[in-house]
Amino acid sequence: MDESASGRVRVRAVAGRPERLPLSLAQQRLWFLHQFEGPSSTYNVPVALRLSGPLDEEALNRALTDVVTRHESLRTVFAEDADGTAHQVVLDAGADARVTESGLRTSTVTADELDDVLRAAIRTPFDLTRDLPLRVWLFELADDEHVLLAVVHHIAGDAWSMGPSPVTSPPRTRPCLRRDAGVGAAAGAVRGLQPVAA
């Protein structure tokens, strides 16, 4: 991955970007609901993958960091001006601790505990004013058996962005998170990606 990352062209911000980035209409709706209801798991969008075989956790973590670094929406929090106008705050990929420390949350679990820990992780609410809108857990069932869970808040992504099941979607139509996570797989981080049954 290090070699491919060094050959990658850096994405540059569009010139003339406003000082305060406004919310899209969909983000305004979700921001209103977040303000009205408070932090909630209602708009969490989860994807769980079973990983079988050898796993290079460090390479997987680097791939995750790369995805968050390259996608502003995954390192954006939300704030309001004094007049109550909401705006996006894109965090600096290299300087903000929330971004630099956004790696995998790892834990060892038994097969019997897996459903409960997945539910608990999926139900963990986001505070959109403070939390990055993506969390990723790696649950180790055995040395060669893991479950990777990614949860994104709907304000930053949707089920299509997370990637439909490979059973129902041909590879050329799978969207960004699964494709970008594939960078880690291509670098040897993971083998045997499979969706976890609901």
Side-chain angles (χ1 to χ4, degrees):
M1 183 168 136
D2 292 335
E3 291 174 13
S4 66
S6 64
R8 190 176 298 157
V9 176
R10 278 252 187 251
V11 177
R12 292 197 169 91
V14 177
R17 190 176 212 177
E19 184 178 321
R20 299 273 190 221
L21 295 174
L23 275 58
S24 70
L25 292 175
Q27 287 175 325
Q28 287 175 25
R29 180 180 62 84
L30 290 167
W31 175 254
F32 170 79
L33 292 170
H34 179 77
Q35 294 298 96
F36 184 72
E37 298 173 354
S40 162
S41 63
T42 302
Y43 294 99
N44 289 1
V45 182
V47 170
L49 297 171
R50 185 172 299 276
L51 310 176
S52 299
L55 175 69
D56 183 340
E57 190 175 316
E58 190 176 312
L60 182 60
N61 199 36
R62 284 193 313 266
L64 171 63
T65 300
D66 183 61
V67 169
V68 172
T69 299
R70 288 185 296 115
H71 293 276
E72 283 188 350
S73 63
L74 299 178
R75 53 186 169 86
T76 297
V77 294
F78 299 85
E80 282 186 344
D81 292 328
D83 67 357
T85 303
H87 61 276
Q88 301 177 58
V89 179
V90 179
L91 304 176
D92 186 315
D96 194 290
R98 288 172 285 187
V99 177
T100 59
E101 299 171 7
S102 67
L104 291 170
R105 295 168 167 96
T106 59
S107 66
T108 302
V109 299
T110 66
D112 291 337
E113 297 170 321
L114 183 60
D115 284 347
D116 289 337
V117 296
L118 286 172
R119 278 190 197 95
I122 291 167
R123 291 179 179 154
T124 302
F126 288 92
D127 180 344
L128 298 176
T129 65
R130 185 185 67 227
D131 300 336
L132 294 184
L134 172 69
R135 294 190 187 117
V136 182
W137 287 266
L138 181 66
F139 300 108
E140 181 180 341
L141 298 164
D143 287 342
D144 62 349
E145 202 63 32
H146 298 80
V147 172
L148 180 69
L149 173 67
V151 180
V152 68
H153 191 282
H154 190 47
I155 203 165
D158 54 21
W160 189 88
S161 300
M162 296 291 281
S165 165
V167 173
T168 61
S169 176
R172 71 182 188 293
T173 63
R174 286 187 213 130
C176 77
L177 186 62
R178 180 160 294 164
R179 181 193 64 229
D180 285 354
V183 170
V190 294
R191 289 173 183 42
L193 288 171
Q194 298 175 8
V196 175

